[in-house]
């Protein structure tokens, strides 16, 4: 390895470690205490729906930000979507999911999709529950396993709603993708609904349990639960295994300390993994290679047989 490469790796991973340190400080120990009596993701999703009375679906074909309310296990949660429609109704739809704690939620979406090269694609960014401010993603979203599931379930229901809306209005097909947390959301969505043309998880994998385990190990955080228990609750690899690998286009970071390449690449072995020499944070901010990857996937998605559902 050249000296410049060693220096770059050190910088990339130092930035990741700094951000991971702040995230570790923000996740309460109370999360572990909820794992013994956590519901299943399936149960939370079954009890999550769009609040139609508060959601003006007639507006969703208009450019801009739109409120969308989700009810999950009795809690009403305000969310939003950012929409940039294509001129042609039959254009493909690209639904994007942001990373955990990303502020504003459309930050990376705007950097990636404001380019003119995507003007013939309907572009939608979904705001996950508990992402109205800097504190809520961890204080509310990571307060319990149930709350983690609510963040996923809310995004899943919004994605389902947006996909149905655009396809009913003529969209040719749907591609879902996202960075980090958004990549997990995208994989879970396809595994459950089996109705997208392609999935683009970037700097991500379905094994959130491994991320939590690596985080605890990095900062010597004591865990009061067994590895098998956290795997059972937060490893979504079994969901990924329901997906058609021909429709999955992962992108990982060689120097990522969140989703470590050596801990996550094998999950996508049947799909094939693209890799860039970035860390998690520096990779997420590297708009050009991400935009190139998304463009390549959209071109390949157009050549795939249409998803049948």
């Amino acid at each position: 390895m050249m000296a410049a490469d060693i220096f770059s790796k050190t910088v990339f991973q130092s930035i990741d470690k700094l951000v991971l340190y702040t995230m570790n400080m923000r996740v309460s120990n109370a999360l572990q205490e909820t794992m013994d009596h956590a519901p299943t993701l399936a149960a939370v999703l079954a009890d999550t729906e769009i609040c139609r009375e508060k959601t003006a679906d007639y507006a969703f074909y208009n450019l801009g930000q739109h409120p969308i309310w989700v009810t999950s296990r009795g809690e009403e949660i305000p969310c939003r979507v950012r929409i940039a429609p294509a001129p042609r109704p039959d254009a493909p739809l690209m639904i994007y999911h942001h990373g955990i704690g990303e502020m504003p939620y459309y930050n990376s979406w705007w950097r990636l999709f404001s380019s003119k090269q995507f003007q013939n694609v309907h572009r939608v960014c979904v705001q996950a529950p508990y992402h109205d401010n800097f504190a809520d993603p961890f204080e509310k979203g990571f307060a319990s396993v149930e709350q983690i599931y609510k963040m996923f379930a809310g995004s899943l229901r919004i994605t389902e709603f947006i996909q149905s809306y655009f396809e009913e209005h003529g969209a040719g097909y749907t591609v879902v993708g996202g960075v980090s947390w958004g990549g997990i959301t995208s994989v879970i969505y396809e595994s459950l609904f089996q109705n997208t043309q392609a999935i683009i998880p970037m700097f991500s994998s379905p094994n959130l349990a491994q991320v939590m385990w690596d985080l605890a190990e990095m900062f010597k955080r004591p865990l009061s639960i067994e590895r098998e228990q956290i795997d059972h609750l937060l490893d979504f690899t079994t969901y990924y295994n329901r997906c058609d690998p021909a429709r999955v286009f992962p992108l990982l970071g060689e120097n990522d300390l969140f989703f470590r390449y050596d801990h996550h690449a094998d999950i996508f072995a049947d799909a094939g993994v693209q890799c860039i020499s970035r860390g998690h944070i520096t990779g997420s901010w590297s708009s050009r290679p991400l935009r190139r990857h998304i463009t390549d996937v959209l071109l390949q998605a157009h050549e795939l047989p249409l998803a049948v559902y």
Side-chain angles (χ1 to χ4, degrees), residues 168-221:
E168 286 170 5
H169 286 77
Y173 53 80
T174 299
V175 175
V176 295
V179 167
S180 193
W181 183 272
I184 305 175
T185 306
S186 302
V187 167
I188 296 174
Y189 182 77
E190 170 59 14
S191 74
L192 293 173
F193 296 95
Q194 301 277 307
N195 60 4
T196 62
Q197 190 72 353
I199 323 157
I200 315 175
M202 298 178 288
F203 305 104
S204 180
S205 97
N207 194 349
L208 179 59
Q210 183 67 55
V211 176
M212 301 291 286
W213 197 260
D214 287 342
L215 183 65
E217 188 176 70
M218 179 182 294
F219 297 108
K220 305 295 187 290
R221 182 171 187 161

Side-chain angles (χ1 to χ4, degrees), residues 24 28 41 55 81 84 102 109 118 120 139 144 168 186 191-192 195 198 202 225 271 290 294:
N24 180 58
S28 170
L41 174 59
T55 301
V81 291
E102 186 173 330
W109 175 79
F118 296 115
N120 292 320
E139 289 184 6
S144 68
E168 286 170 5
S186 302
S191 74
L192 293 173
N195 60 4
M202 298 178 288
I225 55 173
L290 269 64
I294 294 166

Side-chain angles (χ1 to χ4, degrees), residues 147-158:
Q147 294 295 97
I148 290 174
Y149 288 168
K150 281 184 179 181
M151 284 197 285
F152 283 127
S155 294
L156 295 171
R157 288 302 184 204
I158 294 172

Side-chain angles (χ1 to χ4, degrees), residues 44-45 47-52 54-55 67-81 126-130 149-159 161:
V44 175
L45 181 62
D47 202 12
T48 301
E49 61 183 3
I50 301 298
C51 185
R52 300 280 178 164
K54 293 188 174 184
T55 301
I68 184 166
W69 286 76
V70 171
T71 302
S72 186
R73 295 174 80 85
E75 180 185 5
E76 287 191 353
I77 308 170
C79 298
R80 298 173 182 83
V81 291
V126 173
Q127 182 190 37
Y130 312 126
Y149 288 168
K150 281 184 179 181
M151 284 197 285
F152 283 127
S155 294
L156 295 171
R157 288 302 184 204
I158 294 172
T159 304
F161 177 79

